[in-house]
C-alpha cells in the first residue's frame, strides 16, 4: 500500500485556483484534504485543532506571513511543506529544514517533496 494513501492534509493557499490544483494533486496521490483554508486566522484554527498528517503552506497569505501556523505545526510535530513564488529565500532560517516548493510546481515535484517531508 502506498505510504501517502489516506494521509490527512492541511492546505493553506490564498489563491482559489491554485488551492484547487493542489487539492487535486494530493487526492491523486491518495491523500485526503482534511482542511483547505485561505486566511491566516483559519489556518491557525486548523493547525491548532485538526487531526493532520502533514501541511502544505503558502508562505504569503494576502500579505500575511504563514509562519505563526508553521510554529503551531512544528510544536505538534506535523510535517510541513512550504510553497512560495520566492523559492527557498522566502523561508526564514528557522524553518530551513522543511522542504520548499517553488511556484509554479508540477505534481511530481509535490510528490517528491511530500515524501521527503514525511521522512524527516
Amino acid at each position: 500500500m502506498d505510504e501517502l494513501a489516506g494521509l490527512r492534509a492541511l492546505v493553506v493557499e490564498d489563491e482559489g485556483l491554485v488551492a484547487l490544483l493542489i487539492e487535486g494533486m494530493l487526492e491523486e496521490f491518495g491523500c485526503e484534504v482534511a482542511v483547505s483554508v485561505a486566511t491566516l486566522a483559519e489556518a491557525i484554527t486548523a493547525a491548532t485543532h485538526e487531526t493532520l498528517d502533514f501541511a502544505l503552506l503558502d508562505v504569503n497569505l494576502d500579505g500575511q506571513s504563514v509562519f505563526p501556523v508553521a510554529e503551531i505545526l512544528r510544536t505538534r510535530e506535523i510535517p510541513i511543506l512550504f510553497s512560495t513564488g520566492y523559492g527557498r529565500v522566502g523561508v526564514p532560517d528557522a524553518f530551513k529544514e522543511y522542504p520548499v516548493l517553488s511556484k509554479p510546481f508540477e505534481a511530481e515535484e509535490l510528490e517528491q517533496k511530500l515524501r521527503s517531508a514525511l521522512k524527516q
Side-chain angles (χ1 to χ4, degrees), residues 66-118:
V66 78
F67 300 109
V69 177
E71 285 289 351
I72 294 165
L73 295 167
R74 178 165 49 189
T75 300
R76 292 184 62 196
E77 298 181 356
I78 295 171
I80 301 167
L81 292 92
F82 292 106
S83 67
T84 176
Y86 303 108
R88 171 101 8 227
V89 298
V91 178
D93 286 345
F95 295 99
K96 67 182 175 191
E97 72 271 20
Y98 296 100
V100 176
L101 288 159
S102 294
K103 290 181 180 176
F105 53 84
E106 300 289 330
E108 296 79 19
E109 185 181 4
L110 172 57
E111 183 179 9
Q112 174 192 8
K113 298 276 183 159
L114 175 55
R115 289 181 188 279
S116 173
L118 293 171

